[in-house]
Amino acid sequence: MDDQNKNLIFATVLSFLVILVWFFAFPPKPVDTPPTQTVSEQAAGAPASVAPPVTAPSGAAPGPGAANAAEESAPRIKIDTPRLTGSLSLLGGRMDTLALKDYHEELDPTSPNVTLLSSASAEHPYYAVYGWGPAGDLDAADLPGPDTLWSIERGGDLIPGQSVALRWDNGKGLIFHREIAVDDNYMFSITQRVENTTTAPVRMFPYGIVARFGEIPKSNFFILHEGVVRQADNELKEIKYKKMPDMDVSPTEGSPADTAQVAENGWIGFTDKYWMTALIPNPGQAFTAVAKYVPGAEIYQVQTRLPVVTVAAGETAQSQTMLFAGAKEWETIRHYQNDTGIYRFIDSIDWGWFFFLTKPIFWVLHFLHGFIGNMGWSIIALTLFLKALLFPLAYKSYVSMARMKELQPEIEKLKERAGEDRQKLQQEMMQLYKAKKVNPAAGCLPMLLQVPIFFSLYKVIFVTIELRHAPWLGWIRDLSAPDPTSILNLFGLLPYAPPSPDSMIAIVSLGVLPILLGISMWLQQKLNPAATDPSQAMIMGWMPWVFMFMLGRFASGLVLYWITNNTITFIQQYIIMRSHGHKPDVFGNIRSTFRRKSKAGTK
């Protein structure tokens, strides 16, 4: 077996093994049925003390039960923006009903809009609430809580450019005001103000809470982070939902919690695959960020607590914060980072371990999409760009492979002279390579470089919302999903549906793109004659079809990248081999493959 083929097998087998591990570690799109959820009637894990004598805020609402009658009858303020629809309840002042106008649950445009926030009476309550926590000798009953019924001080519907103002008087000299505004995208601004009309100073602290009840439906992909995402100054931390019950029990919180003191810049929230709800104090504001789990009630919380303020008699205190509730769109989040000053907000998108590749790859893809207007063609253009970027290295590699072929006659002579002395053969071959300035390992470099690029592009396609429901052409209407066609019904010509993704035979239900992938890899092999060694020939012969089945259920955008990459590689290698005097006999190699199979079948 010559060194060129050894290198090719090494690179191919390595890529196969990595993709095999990837396939089993990150299986494609399982069908996940949301579990039945029971919501406790207790409060949604009211935060514990920050430090004595600061008392826990109780701004979260009860779950289903008797309180739901009050919840359902409470007045509401409609939220209506170009991209959001929903309402906030005057009971507790919670923002608890929110859907995204631009996104549907399914590819079908008539399917329901994606629901982000849900009220306490829903099956899966998920909402944001703001308030004041008591400090010093102030009684929590003197502050607005989950059962406080606010009144509308000013405004009607909450729309961009028109805020609403709420008011609550505790009857003991403290008057609370809350003003809520929203922009054209997904950012709410919350201004809390308290007037002290008593004759004595009072101490309290403003807080924000996002609470989720019950077991949370998740995608269950190792590659994907779903759970808490927190930026605390220069530290970004992620805690998966399933890890929150395992957090250390905090003595001050009284339950599993993870707390960070933020000096200047930060935010904390819950992130799902495409959606996020985040509490964001103003840039430069110090605060305490808390991720918390309440056992028994199964309540997941994130909180921001600002420092305690002393409101003198006759004075007013004010606090301003923000709430992001929407889709994790790169352009929108970058706008909030650059123009609003939210520190490293772009890192709320799950770029993964290869962030140094996924970020620039997505930037180029987004840039190309801005010109082309179609994500499928943008992926093809991105592949051309990456191949052009790597061409100098690929050129050296292909030249090295071509020169290795030129050395084959001399290598055969060395084998004849060395006989069974393998050590002598290796020494003389290395001397030959050195004399001819040939690197036998260079031939596998382009394929090895494809592995991190492949993973990074897979991450981009999998987690970025810009690829969700993005069409290419014809039958490819969602580049983030597998090819929907199937060879089992002749790609729609036969009058029955292909097997479902969770079926045992789904792996053989190949679509058009996976089949083209297998063919492109097979043709790439035919640039060279088949190996004379039977074992080597068998491995190489099976490899394209194994890859075809392994990648058959991957996102069609990724398969499209791989097909384009194989096609460009084929053209590059063919031209370079021709330029070095070696004319690849592709059709002759194909015919010889079938002749060998025919002879093997007659034995």
Side-chain angles (χ1 to χ4, degrees):
M1 185 187 301
D2 59 75
D3 288 275
Q4 176 187 344
N5 286 325
K6 283 182 180 178
N7 291 332
L8 184 58
I9 286 183
F10 169 73
T12 305
V13 170
L14 179 61
S15 298
F16 169 73
L17 290 176
V18 173
I19 291 177
L20 183 66
V21 172
W22 193 270
F23 179 82
F24 285 107
F26 322 130
K29 290 201 173 184
V31 177
D32 187 37
T33 303
T36 303
Q37 173 182 323
T38 302
V39 182
S40 170
E41 292 186 9
Q42 76 177 73
S49 307
V50 177
V54 178
T55 307
S58 56
N68 282 350
E71 170 70 28
E72 293 173 2
S73 63
R76 287 186 166 272
I77 295 176
K78 183 179 180 181
I79 301 172
D80 189 13
T81 79
R83 314 197 67 186
L84 297 172
T85 182
S87 64
L88 63 90
S89 174
L90 294 186
L91 186 66
R94 295 184 299 274
M95 284 181 277
D96 60 0
T97 305
L98 202 65
L100 311 182
K101 290 183 177 180
D102 296 335
Y103 298 97
H104 296 269
E105 295 285 356
E106 306 293 340
L107 188 60
D108 184 355
T110 63
S111 65
N113 290 108
V114 170
T115 297
L116 183 60
L117 302 182
S118 302
S119 68
S121 59
E123 182 181 5
H124 297 277
Y126 181 14
Y127 52 78
V129 64
Y130 288 83
W132 296 86
D137 56 359
L138 186 64
D139 191 342
D142 294 334
L143 301 175
D147 297 326
T148 299
L149 187 62
W150 293 74
S151 62
I152 299 176
E153 186 175 27
R154 173 178 49 79
D157 293 348
L158 179 56
I159 62 176
Q162 179 179 301
S163 63
V164 296
L166 310 181
R167 184 181 187 274
W168 181 70
D169 189 336
N170 74 349
K172 299 178 181 179
L174 296 179
I175 303 172
F176 296 87
H177 304 267
R178 184 177 303 166
E179 183 175 356
I180 304 169
V182 65
D183 66 8
D184 290 331
N185 290 307
Y186 306 120
M187 191 67 77
F188 294 84
S189 299
I190 298 91
T191 302
Q192 298 191 92
R193 187 163 50 89
V194 57
E195 298 178 46
N196 181 9
T197 64
T198 70
T199 58
V202 293
R203 301 179 72 234
M204 64 186 74
F205 64 94
Y207 67 82
I209 297 175
V210 174
R212 301 192 74 166
F213 287 69
E215 188 173 350
I216 300 169
K218 300 176 286 292
S219 299
N220 294 321
F221 278 78
F222 180 79
I223 186 179
L224 175 67
H225 172 71
E226 293 177 299
V228 176
V229 58
R230 181 183 71 202
Q231 185 71 46
D233 294 317
N234 292 318
E235 180 188 11
L236 179 71
K237 185 170 185 178
E238 298 174 336
I239 308 171
K240 288 183 176 291
Y241 288 121
K242 65 181 181 181
K243 296 293 186 182
M244 290 184 70
D246 300 328
M247 295 183 298
D248 293 336
V249 175
S250 169
T252 57
E253 302 297 329
S255 63
D258 188 292
T259 303
Q261 301 297 328
V262 181
E264 289 186 339
N265 293 293
W267 39 268
I268 187 171
F270 286 126
T271 178
D272 297 330
K273 182 176 181 178
Y274 296 124
W275 330 112
M276 179 174 66
T277 306
L279 302 165
I280 311 167
N282 283 350
Q285 172 68 63
F287 67 97
T288 301
V290 181
K292 182 176 180 179
Y293 175 75
V294 181
E298 288 189 285
I299 303 171
Y300 302 80
Q301 276 196 17
V302 291
Q303 306 172 14
T304 56
R305 303 175 193 160
L306 275 62
V308 173
V309 296
T310 299
V311 188
E315 298 296 328
T316 299
Q318 180 173 293
S319 167
Q320 291 181 319
T321 56
M322 293 175 282
L323 171 73
F324 177 91
K328 296 192 295 183
E329 301 164 346
W330 181 82
E331 192 74 50
T332 303
I333 288 180
R334 190 182 67 155
H335 156 69
Y336 290 132
Q337 174 177 291
N338 296 342
D339 299 337
T340 310
I342 303 175
Y343 183 63
R344 292 182 61 181
F345 201 41
I346 201 71
D347 290 334
S348 62
I349 299 173
D350 183 18
W351 301 109
W353 293 345
F354 292 104
F355 63 90
F356 52 89
L357 288 176
T358 51
K359 283 185 176 181
I361 284 176
F362 178 79
W363 184 88
V364 174
L365 182 63
H366 183 80
F367 177 81
L368 292 170
H369 181 251
F371 280 98
I372 299 172
N374 180 287
M375 270 297 180
W377 295 115
S378 299
I379 289 174
I380 293 174
L382 172 65
T383 311
L384 288 167
F385 171 79
L386 292 174
K387 294 297 287 186
L389 193 66
L390 297 174
F391 181 73
L393 182 59
Y395 179 79
K396 291 181 180 179
S397 175
Y398 296 146
V399 167
S400 178
M401 293 174 65
R403 296 181 66 184
M404 287 285 293
K405 282 190 170 295
E406 296 171 2
L407 296 180
Q408 286 306 304
E410 296 184 51
I411 292 174
E412 292 300 325
K413 292 179 181 178
L414 292 178
K415 289 180 180 180
E416 292 176 5
R417 290 203 303 266
E420 298 297 324
D421 191 345
R422 302 294 297 176
Q423 183 176 359
K424 179 181 178 182
L425 175 62
Q426 290 297 325
Q427 290 175 347
E428 292 186 357
M429 287 176 62
M430 293 308 296
Q431 290 175 359
L432 177 63
Y433 295 150
K434 186 176 181 180
K436 298 296 184 179
K437 296 182 180 180
V438 173
N439 182 2
C444 65
L445 284 178
M447 191 169 294
L448 292 177
L449 284 172
Q450 289 180 30
V451 174
I453 292 175
F454 176 89
F455 288 166
S456 299
L457 188 60
Y458 180 74
K459 181 78 171 181
V460 166
I461 291 173
F462 187 75
V463 305
T464 54
I465 196 170
E466 286 77 6
L467 272 295
R468 181 182 187 264
H469 295 174
W472 177 35
L473 54 79
W475 73 100
I476 303 297
R477 300 171 58 203
D478 184 0
L479 287 163
S480 67
D483 188 328
T485 59
S486 173
I487 195 174
L488 298 183
N489 67 357
L490 296 182
F491 313 110
L493 295 178
L494 298 180
Y496 55 83
S500 61
D502 57 340
S503 169
M504 293 181 62
I505 62 172
I507 193 171
V508 298
S509 180
L510 296 173
V512 174
L513 287 183
I515 292 173
L516 291 177
L517 168 66
I519 293 173
S520 68
M521 293 187 70
W522 182 71
L523 286 174
Q524 193 175 342
Q525 287 185 354
K526 300 310 168 185
L527 286 169
N528 299 298
T532 55
D533 181 85
S535 299
Q536 179 186 354
M538 182 185 67
I539 293 173
M540 299 303 295
W542 276 103
M543 198 61 65
W545 316 120
V546 172
F547 267 70
M548 178 179 70
F549 283 101
M550 292 297 298
L551 300 180
R553 303 308 303 169
F554 275 50
S556 53
L558 190 69
V559 179
L560 177 62
Y561 157 77
W562 203 261
I563 293 171
T564 307
N565 182 79
N566 288 346
T567 303
I568 298 171
T569 300
F570 179 93
I571 295 171
Q572 286 180 339
Q573 195 169 351
Y574 184 89
I575 293 173
I576 292 172
M577 292 174 73
R578 286 291 301 266
S579 68
H580 283 75
H582 177 72
K583 182 179 180 181
D585 187 7
V586 177
F587 294 106
N589 294 336
I590 293 174
R591 286 193 297 269
S592 65
T593 300
F594 287 107
R595 281 199 297 268
R596 283 199 314 275
K597 290 183 179 180
S598 178
K599 290 178 181 179
T602 59
K603 289 182 180 180

